[in-house]
Every structure is written in structure tokens, then in C-alpha cells.
């Protein structure tokens, strides 16, 4: 059994497709199929069911997947540990950042890092917080800059860098904009535009209402805050947006409720040895956190 076969197996399992897995690993589809076939012969069991164009894990495949990931992570961890001994800040660094952080928080840190560490090949991805979180948990990323989960997995290490104050906002001609003070109960009488149900920000937004056994009237959902802002501006509903986005085109409501904040920061996997590049990147993030405090 070699690492190439295990990498192929994990890629097919995660993409649900031999062709997409082949593209991911820069292989031909026939080479990918051969690797899987060899692995199945070595283990003397079928790992995938292929019904039409659908590829799914067999029971044996489901048992192997977490072990295969762990083996590949251990090998990568060993390679990184040996590479770190040189003290050089080079190689590649895989980082994901949420769209909001990428636009409003990351640029100065990214500029400083690329200037200080020109030898590092930066693999920067722009993902939703939940996708980036899952990729760190799976070992596909070293660092993710995200809205931190209110209920983190035990294997995730989280560090707050920014406190993002959230404001209840409406269009300037919205009926609520005329009121000196608004209650959460009053908000439920009007349509709301919030991120999707599976997002960390949605969980944070709904917590104050849940404490009062209230349910916002969700008219529309999208995970892009800039799109939400646009929809609020044209009067489609109220929302809860970061202070940095509460500009003159919106009216900030004086809501009779505790202030709402979400924690933005970075996460890593607690069992992963970080590269020298990742350590330097985190050092810059920690400096930003100190300045913010």
C-alpha cells in the first residue's frame, strides 16, 4: 500500500467522482482508476460502489476513510517537522479566508507577509467560513481565517483576532427607521435577510431571539454579506451586519437588547505540526489582535 493509492482513495471519496479526483491530483482518469483498483486488490475488498455515474463508499470504504486521512496527515506532519528544522521560511502555505475577512481585514496582513516571506508559495483560497473550517478539520488546510464557530470541534484550535460588532440595520425609508427604540419582538413583525441556516453568523444572529422564544421572519438568505447589504438598502428587509458595513446608506436601529458581536479569527488543527511559514503568518495575526485590543 503506497501513499499515492491512499491519496487517490481520499480524493474520490471526498469529490464523489473519479474524474474530479483525477483533476485534483493531476492524473488521468485511467491512472486514478488503476490506483483504486490496486488498493482494492491489496485490501481484498471493494471500496466504492459505481452505479451509473454515482460513486459512493461501501461499508469497507467508510471504515477506511478516516484511517486513510490519519495516515496521510501523519506522513505530511513528519515531512513538515523535518523541514522546520532548517529554520527557513519557505515552501507552501495553504490558507483559506472568508469573503468578509478577505475584503475588510486581511489585506494589510497579507501585504506584510508576502513582503517578509517572498520564498513562500501562498495557496490562498476564498471560502465560506464553514467550508474553510471543515477543510482544516480534514487536514486540507494549515490555517483558516473565519467567523469562529460558537461550538468548535475538540480538534480545532481557535484564536480570536477581531471582535466584529454587529448592528441591526434597515433602509432609511423603512418603517422601523422612524422609531427611537426597537424591540426584538418588533423586528419579528418585519422580513429579515440573514445568512443561510448552516452558517456560524446565522447561529449568532438567532441566539438573542431564541433566548426570548422568538423567531425572526426570514424572507431571504444568502451567505454574502455585501449582497445582504444591497437587499437591505433597497428595502427588502432588516438585517444584522458588521459595523464596518453600516454606512450612510443604512439606518442603524437602536434595539433594546444586548449588543451582538461575532468573533473573527484563525483556526488550526491541534494535531497538525505547523510549518515555519504558518507560524510566521500566525505571528502577524497575533500582532493584529494585540493592536486591536
Amino acid at each position: 500500500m503506497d501513499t499515492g493509492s491512499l491519496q487517490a482513495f481520499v480524493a474520490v471519496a471526498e469529490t464523489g467522482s473519479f474524474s474530479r479526483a483525477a483533476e485534483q491530483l493531476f492524473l488521468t482518469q485511467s491512472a486514478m482508476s488503476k490506483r483504486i483498483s490496486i488498493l482494492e486488490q491489496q485490501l481484498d475488498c471493494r471500496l466504492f460502489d459505481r452505479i451509473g455515474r454515482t460513486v459512493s463508499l461501501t461499508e469497507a470504504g467508510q471504515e477506511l476513510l478516516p484511517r486513510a486521512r490519519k495516515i496521510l496527515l501523519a506522513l505530511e506532519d513528519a515531512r513538515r517537522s523535518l523541514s522546520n528544522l532548517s529554520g527557513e521560511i519557505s515552501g507552501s502555505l495553504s490558507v483559506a479566508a472568508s469573503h468578509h475577512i478577505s475584503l475588510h481585514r486581511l489585506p494589510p496582513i497579507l501585504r506584510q507577509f508576502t513582503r517578509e516571506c517572498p520564498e513562500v508559495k501562498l495557496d490562498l483560497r476564498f471560502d465560506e467560513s464553514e467550508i474553510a473550517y471543515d477543510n482544516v478539520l480534514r487536514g486540507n488546510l494549515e490555517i483558516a481565517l473565519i467567523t469562529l464557530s460558537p461550538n468548535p470541534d475538540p480538534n480545532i484550535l481557535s484564536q480570536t483576532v477581531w471582535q466584529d460588532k454587529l448592528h441591526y440595520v434597515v433602509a432609511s425609508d423603512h418603517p422601523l427607521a422612524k422609531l427611537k427604540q426597537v424591540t426584538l419582538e418588533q423586528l419579528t413583525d418585519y422580513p429579515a435577510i440573514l445568512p443561510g441556516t448552516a452558517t456560524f453568523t446565522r447561529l449568532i444572529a438567532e441566539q438573542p431571539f431564541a433566548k426570548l422564544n422568538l423567531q425572526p421572519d426570514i424572507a431571504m438568505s444568502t451567505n454574502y454579506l455585501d449582497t445582504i447589504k444591497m437587499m437591505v438598502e433597497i428595502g427588502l428587509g432588516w438585517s444584522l451586519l458588521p459595523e464596518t458595513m453600516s454606512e450612510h446608506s443604512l439606518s442603524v436601529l437602536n434595539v433594546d437588547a444586548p449588543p451582538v458581536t461575532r468573533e473573527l479569527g484563525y483556526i488550526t488543527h491541534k494535531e497538525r505540526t505547523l510549518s515555519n511559514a504558518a507560524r510566521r503568518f500566525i505571528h502577524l495575526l497575533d500582532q493584529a489582535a494585540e493592536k486591536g485590543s
Side-chain angles (χ1 to χ4, degrees):
M1 189 185 304
D2 58 41
T3 57
S5 295
L6 288 177
Q7 287 174 334
F9 166 71
V10 171
V12 174
E14 291 181 347
T15 62
S17 165
F18 276 74
S19 59
R20 287 196 297 270
E23 290 175 7
Q24 190 179 91
L25 296 182
F26 304 102
L27 296 170
T28 64
Q29 190 166 340
S30 60
M32 175 65 68
S33 297
K34 186 175 181 179
R35 288 190 180 189
I36 298 299
S37 178
I38 290 172
L39 185 60
E40 288 179 329
Q41 289 174 19
Q42 290 172 331
L43 296 174
D44 193 26
C45 62
R46 194 176 185 86
L47 299 173
F48 295 103
D49 284 326
R50 305 163 182 81
I51 303 174
R53 294 185 178 182
T54 302
V55 178
S56 59
L57 286 167
T58 63
E59 185 177 356
Q62 292 172 0
E63 285 292 321
L64 177 61
L65 183 58
R67 292 168 173 79
R69 285 177 177 150
K70 194 168 184 178
I71 291 169
L72 292 173
L73 283 175
L75 289 170
E76 178 64 17
D77 193 66
R79 184 201 62 76
R80 196 177 298 109
S81 295
L82 295 173
S83 178
N84 284 350
L85 294 177
S86 68
E88 293 182 359
I89 301 179
S90 58
S92 62
L93 172 61
S94 56
V95 180
S98 71
H99 299 282
H100 180 75
I101 291 176
S102 300
L103 289 172
H104 301 279
R105 306 285 189 173
L106 183 58
I109 295 169
L110 198 57
R111 184 185 305 114
Q112 185 176 353
F113 179 79
T114 54
R115 286 176 178 175
E116 291 183 5
C117 309
E119 299 300 318
V120 175
K121 181 181 179 182
L122 193 61
D123 176 14
L124 181 60
R125 313 175 195 179
F126 303 102
D127 288 326
E128 294 174 11
S129 291
E130 299 71 31
I131 294 174
Y133 180 95
D134 189 55
N135 275 320
V136 169
L137 196 56
R138 290 173 178 267
N140 298 331
L141 292 169
E142 280 200 79
I143 307 170
L145 298 166
I146 62 171
T147 300
L148 299 181
S149 171
N151 305 299
D153 186 279
N155 289 310
I156 290 291
L157 295 177
S158 306
Q159 179 60 50
T160 302
V161 179
W162 306 280
Q163 292 284 349
D164 210 18
K165 295 180 181 179
L166 302 179
H167 289 319
Y168 295 95
V169 294
V170 293
S172 56
D173 58 352
H174 192 283
L176 290 173
K178 302 174 184 178
L179 303 180
K180 291 183 178 180
Q181 192 172 65
V182 177
T183 65
L184 293 180
E185 188 171 5
Q186 284 176 301
L187 282 177
T188 62
D189 293 332
Y190 295 87
I193 306 169
L194 295 174
T197 55
T199 64
F200 300 147
T201 300
R202 175 69 168 268
L203 292 174
I204 294 166
E206 289 186 331
Q207 282 176 350
F209 293 90
K211 289 178 181 178
L212 299 176
N213 292 319
L214 297 173
Q215 180 65 48
D217 177 16
I218 310 298
M220 284 174 278
S221 293
T222 174
N223 294 347
Y224 296 100
L225 296 185
D226 290 285
T227 304
I228 290 177
K229 179 186 172 186
M230 177 273 294
M231 290 194 287
V232 172
E233 286 175 338
I234 62 176
L236 298 182
W238 63 266
S239 190
L240 194 60
L241 289 176
E243 186 176 44
T244 53
M245 300 180 70
S246 305
E247 299 171 352
H248 301 298
S249 57
L250 298 174
S251 291
V252 177
L253 300 177
N254 178 22
V255 177
D256 183 21
V260 181
T261 61
R262 62 175 186 170
E263 295 185 341
L264 307 180
Y266 63 86
I267 62 169
T268 59
H269 197 292
K270 74 174 186 178
E271 294 185 358
R272 180 167 189 158
T273 299
L274 296 177
S275 64
N276 290 337
R279 292 175 183 176
R280 181 58 189 168
F281 195 84
I282 285 174
H283 175 71
L284 296 179
L285 291 169
D286 289 339
Q287 284 185 330
E290 290 175 6
K291 290 177 183 178
S293 64

